[in-house]
Amino acid sequence: MEEATAYLRDGVLSHLEKLEAHARKLALKQEETQRQQENLVRLRARIQELRLQRDELLTKVNLQQVGLIRQEGATGSNVEPVQAAETGGQALLKWKVENVKAMLQAFRLTGISGKLTKQGVCFCISTAYEGTYLDSYYLDLLIQQPVQIRHHSVPIFIPLEQIAKKYLQTDIKCFLAMLSDHLNAYAGRKYQADQLQDHYSAFLEGTLQRNSLHNVLFFNYDVETESKTFPFRAKLVYGDLTRSLPTEATITCKGDVSDSLVEKTAAHSNLFRHMALHKAFNSFRRAAESLDQTA
């Protein structure tokens, strides 16, 4: 009887280890897919940026040619200098408007859209996580010297002021891209925590503790292993605010901890750092269902 029990336990543990190994492979594959998608977005944005630079150069060449023609005409027919200056100013204003329009077109590929206003431009930054569209945020810029933020709906805990101080006056495209990274990462972290609390509360012991930025999470959870249920405590820290996966995952288990449990806590830590939170708990659910079927 004891030999049969030991054999069954070893079989269950072996099956659980295979499931965890498979989950780790899926996590790595998911991370690679996400990295490829991010690279594709960057390449598309880079293509649009290069096209924008090309159009700017062509416009500058045209402006220079217009200036030369105007100079020659003024020499031959005594055209008033004031009229020439007005014509040049109109051409320059038209070039600036076209420049902003081209920038808006380029950003549509990255979830950023916008429209020209009487005093500047209003941007809309849409967030999404794994194909699920989430919240949108608005930013109304006053185009003058210096550029100013008139109104916005960005949450107070997003470091908008620091990002603006670093990029807004020198590179608006970089400013918007960095702000979009922060907002999308925040939306992704919040989405994962909501999914865990809404769909996997059976695993949780107590409430999920999280701050407004969702960059620090605390929770207790129970997972069945070695034919017993063990209470684990997790602390997830998201050190990079432009990412939706934690940089640190500290997992502990109460009471006397066997060598196999030490391995399990390490495996859970690795899983949380490489897989979306709700998907990690979905792998725990599948493992528990496999244990029930084996028993």
Side-chain angles (χ1 to χ4, degrees):
M1 183 65 179
E2 292 181 356
E3 292 181 358
T5 303
Y7 177 77
L8 178 61
R9 185 176 64 251
D10 291 341
V12 171
L13 289 176
S14 176
H15 184 62
L16 181 59
E17 289 174 354
K18 289 180 180 179
L19 286 175
E20 291 178 340
H22 181 62
R24 285 194 293 272
K25 289 182 180 178
L26 287 176
L28 292 174
K29 185 176 180 181
Q30 178 188 8
E31 186 178 10
E32 179 63 26
T33 301
Q34 184 177 359
R35 189 181 300 112
Q36 291 176 353
Q37 290 175 346
E38 292 174 352
N39 288 336
L40 181 59
V41 169
R42 291 194 189 95
L43 288 173
R44 287 176 175 174
R46 180 58 178 163
I47 289 172
Q48 290 295 335
E49 186 178 357
L50 290 174
R51 288 175 177 171
L52 177 60
Q53 292 177 2
R54 177 201 61 190
D55 295 340
E56 289 178 356
L57 290 173
L58 288 175
T59 305
K60 288 180 180 179
V61 170
N62 291 335
L63 287 173
Q64 289 176 352
Q65 291 176 347
V66 170
L68 288 175
I69 293 173
R70 188 182 298 113
Q71 264 190 341
E72 293 173 358
T75 303
S77 57
N78 296 321
V79 176
E80 291 294 333
V82 174
Q83 181 183 354
E86 289 178 351
T87 304
Q90 292 174 355
L92 185 59
L93 178 61
K94 182 179 179 181
W95 169 68
K96 287 183 177 180
V97 172
E98 292 300 324
N99 187 20
V100 172
K101 287 182 179 179
M103 184 177 66
L104 294 178
Q105 178 64 32
F107 270 121
R108 287 193 181 95
L109 296 171
T110 61
I112 302 175
S113 59
K115 62 179 181 179
L116 296 174
T117 64
K118 290 182 179 180
Q119 296 178 309
V121 58
C122 182
F123 290 99
C124 174
I125 301 177
S126 300
T127 61
Y129 186 74
E130 294 185 340
T132 301
Y133 288 99
L134 303 172
D135 297 323
S136 294
Y137 302 93
Y138 296 89
L139 193 73
D140 190 4
L141 296 183
L142 182 61
I143 303 300
Q144 61 177 29
Q145 191 61 34
V147 179
Q148 294 182 6
I149 300 175
R150 295 182 63 201
H151 308 288
H152 69 85
S153 62
V154 177
I156 191 172
F157 42 78
I158 298 295
L160 174 61
E161 185 177 346
Q162 292 91 321
I163 299 172
K165 184 177 181 180
K166 188 173 183 179
Y167 298 108
L168 183 59
Q169 304 304 326
T170 57
D171 192 338
I172 293 181
K173 294 191 290 292
C174 188
F175 163 73
L176 290 171
M178 183 60 66
L179 181 58
S180 176
D181 287 344
H182 277 264
L183 289 171
N184 273 281
Y186 156 71
R189 295 192 299 269
K190 183 178 183 299
Y191 176 79
Q192 293 176 61
D194 291 341
Q195 290 292 304
L196 172 60
Q197 193 161 288
D198 294 343
H199 301 290
Y200 300 93
S201 58
F203 287 92
L204 298 179
E205 187 180 297
T207 58
L208 171 66
Q209 301 177 42
R210 44 180 166 170
N211 60 351
S212 299
L213 192 53
H214 289 76
N215 65 326
V216 179
L217 302 181
F218 292 95
F219 55 89
N220 297 321
Y221 64 101
D222 297 329
V223 172
E224 187 175 351
T225 182
E226 298 180 0
S227 301
K228 294 181 181 180
T229 300
F230 290 92
F232 293 91
R233 177 169 178 76
K235 176 185 177 182
L236 306 185
V237 177
Y238 299 78
D240 185 351
L241 296 181
T242 61
R243 293 189 60 206
S244 56
L245 291 177
T247 52
E248 299 177 31
T250 304
I251 312 299
T252 57
C253 185
K254 299 178 182 178
D256 295 331
V257 180
S258 63
D259 291 340
S260 60
L261 273 181
V262 172
E263 294 179 1
K264 289 292 181 290
T265 57
H268 287 188
S269 175
N270 184 66
L271 200 63
F272 288 142
R273 284 185 290 107
H274 294 89
M275 180 181 285
L277 190 56
H278 56 290
K279 291 188 175 182
F281 274 88
N282 189 45
S283 69
F284 295 156
R285 174 185 289 175
R286 292 198 305 267
E289 291 172 350
S290 298
L291 283 173
D292 293 339
Q293 292 174 1
T294 306

